[in-house]
Amino acid sequence: MKYINMDDLTTVIQNRLLVESIEKDEEVLNGIEDLVISEVSAYISGRYDVKKIFGIPPIRTGLLIRIISCITAFRAVSRNAARKTGNNPLSDMNDWADLILAKLRDGIMSLPPEIPLVTDEEGNNVGSTVTGETGSVYKFNVEAEGTDVSILV
């Protein structure tokens, strides 16, 4: 696995349930985690430098570890949980992770300051969300060469 490890996963799911779900094939987890990282990157790439966060070595932070662990565990168990139990006991954690990703994407929440933002060649922040003096969040959607800017307050 690239960003999380088995210890991270066992904080959100019992090891026995996880091992049964992947049928003792850790490559299954690697594939699931790759897809989850791709999805997380799609959510946060407008604000954070995902190449650095998920690079080698990765820049680990508790919130992303938990999000990726929750979604990975949910998807691992989903491979056969419906067949065995009729539902996935981790669906609440998956819903939580999706909600937090949307908040990170929309600038309602932020990752810690040590997590690199998207910057231009000169190091200037070019992320899609800026916080104003009063704490209001302004989201900029820039169309064709910066000619059309929408501000949502």
Side-chain angles (χ1 to χ4, degrees), residues 3-136:
Y3 194 80
I4 59 173
N5 56 48
M6 288 300 286
D7 288 340
D8 299 326
L9 285 169
T10 57
T11 64
V12 299
I13 186 174
Q14 292 178 355
N15 191 50
R16 178 191 56 79
L17 182 57
L18 183 62
V19 170
E20 287 174 7
S21 297
I22 63 168
E23 299 161 347
K24 299 180 182 175
D25 183 1
E26 234 177 277
E27 285 304 309
V28 171
L29 279 179
N30 291 337
I32 293 170
E33 185 205 28
D34 284 344
L35 293 173
V36 172
I37 288 172
S38 177
E39 184 177 336
V40 169
S41 294
Y43 270 97
I44 68 173
S45 63
R47 297 183 65 211
Y48 297 99
D49 189 336
V50 295
K51 287 183 181 180
K52 288 181 182 175
I53 295 169
F54 299 115
I56 298 173
I59 302 171
R60 289 172 39 100
T61 186
L63 187 59
L64 287 179
I65 290 168
R66 182 161 181 222
I67 289 168
I68 293 169
S69 295
C70 287
I71 297 172
T72 301
F74 172 76
R75 297 209 176 134
V77 173
S78 293
R79 296 176 68 241
N80 64 12
R83 182 177 73 237
K84 291 181 179 179
T85 66
N87 65 356
N88 187 329
L90 302 175
S91 61
D92 288 343
M93 289 191 324
N94 187 70
D95 293 344
W96 170 85
D98 286 342
L99 176 68
I100 298 302
L101 284 172
K103 287 182 177 185
L104 288 169
R105 177 198 61 211
D106 297 341
I108 296 168
M109 287 181 70
S110 296
L111 292 173
E114 64 269 14
I115 301 301
L117 298 171
V118 175
T119 58
D120 61 16
E121 298 80 28
E122 290 140 17
N124 299 314
N125 179 8
V126 294
S128 61
T129 305
V130 178
T131 303
E133 289 179 28
T134 62
S136 300

